[in-house]
Amino acid sequence: MEGRIWDFSSSHPDMETNRGGSLITGQVAHELGADGKPVWAGSPNAVFSSPEAFNQWYRDVPGVNMSKPYAIELKEAPAGSGRYAFDGPNFFPIDNELLGNEGDQFRDVQGQPRNFHFTTELHTKFKYQGGETFSFSGDDDLWVFINGTLAIDLGGLHPARSASIDMDQRAADLGIQKGNVYSLELFHAERHTTASNFRVDTNLAFVDCGTVLPDPQ
């Protein structure tokens, strides 16, 4: 799965707030926007400060964030099983990169300095054949869109939470039919110390790795 990762300062109004802890669903619209990004659909609250701040999460904004291409590799285990996973129990992919670790002031549960404040956008395509599932476990926010439609909603600043999509059970809602190829978009945010977890498990039949988002002009 390929896409892009954005790094933010802890001073951003949606980062490092201490008022989280709960799952907040309904913060994004049921369908992706015309530009392929999540659309704000909630109201300002303890951990989502404003639509203006949220609209910066997955876009290049000079003076607010920095970004680079990013990808994860899902590995088959066991071999020949048709099941694939990416397991990131300490998911810190941009330590000492982009905006850096802000003077090493933010540390994980082992006391290691980390770069905590980032968002991730990933893309792929799969052929729906019947019987597929897609599962995620992690923190903080996570939204998965299938065929442009919201399929997993784990918004908010919270400890690791899990959710699964059963493609057969959700086929009508997602507008998918067996034998056809569909998009999968994943939008994630890591916004607060002291842990960062990211795990994907699936038996989807991927047909390509998506398209890396271009470098900002």
Side-chain angles (χ1 to χ4, degrees):
M1 301 182 67
E2 298 185 348
R4 200 162 194 88
I5 192 165
W6 286 264
D7 190 15
F8 291 81
S9 166
S10 59
S11 63
H12 187 276
D14 290 336
M15 302 294 167
E16 205 56 35
T17 172
N18 290 314
R19 296 170 293 178
S22 300
L23 183 68
I24 301 177
T25 60
Q27 200 67 36
V28 301
H30 195 60
E31 306 292 335
L32 285 174
D35 62 352
K37 307 288 186 178
V39 176
W40 170 280
S43 58
N45 56 57
V47 295
F48 291 95
S49 64
S50 68
E52 293 78 15
F54 179 76
N55 287 341
Q56 297 172 341
W57 285 25
Y58 304 105
R59 296 176 175 89
D60 291 296
V61 184
V64 173
N65 57 28
M66 293 180 67
S67 70
K68 71 171 191 175
Y70 181 70
I72 64 171
E73 180 183 2
L74 282 74
K75 297 182 178 180
E76 187 179 28
S81 66
R83 301 215 50 97
Y84 298 84
F86 173 86
D87 189 15
N90 290 289
F91 186 62
F92 298 103
I94 52 169
D95 281 352
N96 301 302
E97 295 186 58
L98 299 175
L99 295 178
N101 292 10
E102 297 190 72
D104 293 345
Q105 61 181 308
F106 300 104
R107 297 174 179 262
D108 64 17
V109 292
Q110 286 81 36
Q112 296 298 311
R114 300 289 194 178
N115 187 346
F116 272 95
H117 312 104
F118 58 89
T119 61
T120 311
E121 175 178 340
L122 297 169
H123 302 265
T124 191
K125 293 181 180 179
F126 67 96
K127 186 174 183 179
Y128 176 42
Q129 302 174 102
E132 292 96 328
T133 61
F134 183 94
S135 300
F136 175 86
S137 179
D139 62 296
D140 291 299
D141 316 80
L142 185 282
W143 299 284
V144 174
F145 290 80
I146 302 290
N147 193 29
T149 299
L150 184 62
I152 291 180
D153 185 355
L154 294 176
L157 271 168
H158 51 72
R161 301 290 293 265
S162 301
S164 297
I165 312 164
D166 184 312
M167 299 296 173
D168 293 346
Q169 292 181 2
R170 297 287 304 277
D173 171 43
L174 299 174
I176 60 177
Q177 297 181 341
K178 293 177 183 177
N180 293 333
V181 172
Y182 297 99
S183 63
L184 185 153
E185 279 89 25
L186 183 154
F187 298 88
H188 164 263
E190 172 53 50
R191 300 197 275 148
H192 193 275
T193 50
T194 54
S196 180
N197 302 278
F198 188 110
R199 181 179 176 94
V200 168
D201 293 273
T202 189
N203 62 341
L204 289 174
F206 296 112
V207 297
D208 65 34
C209 295
T211 301
V212 176
L213 301 183
D215 286 321
Q217 299 300 315

